[in-house]
Amino acid sequence: MPANQTMPSWIREEFQDLDLPDKRLASRAEAMLRDQYASPEKTLDSGSYDEAAAKGAYRFQKHAEITDEPLLQAHAARVLERAGGYSVVLGVHDTTELNFSTQSQKEDTGTLQTEKSRGFLLHPIVFFTPDKLCLGSIDANLWSRDPQEFGKSKDRQKRPIEEKESYRWLLSYRQLAQAQKQLPNTEVVSVSDAESAIYELFVEAKADAKGPTLLVRAAHNRELQEDVQKLWPYMASPPSAFDITLEIPRKLQQPARTTQARVTYAPVTLKAPVHKPGETVQLYAVYVRELLPPEGVDAVSWMLLTTRRIRKPKHAVMLIQWYA
C-alpha cells in the first residue's frame, strides 16, 4: 500500500473545524493535505495518490465556492489551541515574493522588484515557541501590485498609511492582538524585521497595554527626546554594556556561526518623524554588535526596539534569542 494512502490522524484533528459547502470537499481537502504531506517536494499532479486524486485536487482548486479563508481558519484554530500550552509564543511575520515571471499565464499578477517581473506578495504570520518549534500560521495576506503604480514610490509616501503597503504591518499586529485576547495566559510577541519599524506601529503597540509585546529591528537612526544624539550613537555607550556568545543562523551562502557580541540596552523615547506630527513613544532598545566577524562577512549589527521592559542583562539576552 502506498505510504500516502493512509490518512494521518493529525490531519483529521487539524481540519475538525473546516466549514466547506459540501462534506465531499472537506474530504478532498484532507486527501490533498495527506498527499502533499507524504511528498512535499512534488507538484500537485505528481504528488497525488493517483490520477483520480490529481483530477480531484485540480477541481477543488477551481471550485467557485472554495476560498483560502475556511482552510486557514480551521488551521488557525488549532494553532491557537497549541499556543495556549506555552507561556510565550513568537508571532513572526514578514513578506515574501511569489514570482511567476516564467509562467505563461499571469492573470492578476503584479510587478515585483522590476517592472517586468510578475507575481504576488505574501505576508503570513507564523507562530513559534522560543525553542523554535513551529506551531503553524494564523493569518496570510496575499496581494499584487498595480503595474501602473511601478516607479511611483515618492507619490505613495504622501498617502495615508492605510493606502500604503506598509499598512500590512499594522494589520498583522492587529491579528496578533486578536490572538492575544484568546490567549490570556500566554505572552504573544510580535516579531518582525527592519521594514516593519514604522512610527505608526510603535504608537499602536504602546496604546494597548494588554496587546502583544512588540519586538522589531530598527531601520532608521531616529531622533530621541532625552538627548541631542540619535538612536545609534546614544546606544553605543550606555553603562549597560556586556558581552555574550551569539548563535548566528545561516543566511544565503553564509553558514551558521558562533560569535562574540557586545550588547547595550536602555529605555529610549523616540520623537515623532518630522513629516508625521504626533506624540513621543517610549520603548526599550537593545543594541547588538559583533566584535570579530569572519573575514569578508558583514558584522552583525542589530538595533532591537521593544515594548517589553528591560531591567537586567538576562532580559536583553532573552529578546536577542527571540529575534535571532
Side-chain angles (χ1 to χ4, degrees), residues 29-296:
E30 291 179 354
M32 290 171 63
L33 182 56
R34 174 203 63 195
D35 292 347
Q36 292 177 342
Y37 173 70
S39 304
E41 78 286 357
K42 294 183 179 179
T43 64
L44 184 63
D45 184 29
S46 63
S48 296
Y49 168 62
D50 55 20
E51 184 177 353
K55 289 181 178 179
Y58 282 114
R59 285 197 298 268
F60 181 91
Q61 290 192 328
K62 295 179 181 179
H63 198 288
E65 297 183 74
I66 296 295
T67 67
D68 61 340
E69 186 173 349
L71 296 167
L72 183 58
Q73 285 181 345
H75 170 60
R78 303 283 75 76
V79 175
L80 293 175
E81 189 177 86
R82 290 189 283 271
Y86 297 89
S87 59
V88 176
V89 291
L90 311 178
V92 181
H93 51 115
D94 203 355
T95 304
T96 188
E97 291 185 349
L98 307 180
N99 195 319
F100 289 91
S101 299
T102 60
Q103 303 298 313
S104 58
Q105 298 181 16
K106 302 184 179 68
E107 184 179 357
D108 298 328
T109 59
T111 52
L112 298 174
Q113 292 296 324
T114 67
E115 191 170 6
K116 292 183 178 180
S117 60
R118 289 289 188 273
F120 299 92
L121 294 158
L122 177 65
H123 191 91
I125 304 175
V126 184
F127 269 14
F128 292 87
T129 69
D131 293 328
K132 304 178 183 179
L133 175 65
C134 181
L135 303 178
S137 301
I138 65 164
D139 188 50
N141 185 10
L142 181 73
W143 75 97
S144 60
R145 294 181 178 133
D146 184 353
Q148 301 299 321
E149 293 293 315
F150 187 83
K152 299 181 179 180
S153 59
K154 291 184 179 180
D155 295 336
R156 288 194 293 270
Q157 291 177 359
K158 301 176 183 178
R159 298 176 184 175
I161 185 68
E162 292 79 6
E163 297 179 15
K164 298 179 181 179
E165 279 191 6
S166 54
Y167 190 49
R168 68 188 184 274
W169 301 108
L170 291 176
L171 294 177
S172 291
Y173 184 82
R174 291 167 188 173
Q175 284 293 112
L176 289 167
Q178 291 300 316
Q180 181 68 88
K181 291 178 181 179
Q182 299 178 62
L183 299 169
N185 300 317
T186 301
E187 179 183 1
V188 177
V189 184
S190 173
V191 185
S192 50
D193 218 340
E195 193 177 356
S196 69
I198 57 176
Y199 171 73
E200 291 85 352
L201 180 59
F202 299 151
V203 172
E204 183 150 337
K206 286 296 292 183
D208 186 1
K210 296 183 179 180
T213 297
L214 184 68
L215 177 60
V216 304
R217 181 178 172 184
H220 306 292
N221 195 18
R222 296 182 180 274
E223 292 189 1
L224 305 180
Q225 183 187 52
E226 58 266 74
D227 201 283
V228 294
Q229 292 179 309
K230 292 187 177 182
L231 179 60
W232 257 263
Y234 177 76
M235 289 301 300
S237 58
S240 59
F242 63 96
D243 293 349
I244 62 170
T245 299
L246 187 63
E247 301 292 333
I248 306 297
R250 178 179 61 85
K251 182 179 181 181
L252 300 178
Q253 303 303 316
Q254 297 178 9
R257 66 183 187 274
T258 301
T259 188
Q260 292 298 116
R262 181 148 297 160
V263 178
T264 57
Y265 63 92
V268 294
T269 302
L270 308 181
K271 291 182 179 179
V274 175
H275 61 289
K276 297 177 182 179
E279 60 194 49
T280 58
V281 181
Q282 294 179 339
L283 299 170
Y284 282 80
V286 180
Y287 189 20
V288 187
R289 291 166 289 169
E290 188 174 11
L291 296 175
L292 296 171
E295 185 177 353

Side-chain angles (χ1 to χ4, degrees), residues 3-28:
N4 63 341
Q5 188 175 8
T6 304
M7 186 72 69
S9 61
W10 67 265
I11 292 181
R12 292 273 166 80
E13 294 173 4
E14 200 71 9
F15 276 170
Q16 62 183 276
D17 294 331
L18 183 58
D19 184 16
L20 294 179
D22 191 304
K23 290 184 178 180
R24 292 171 295 181
L25 292 172
S27 296
R28 174 57 60 192

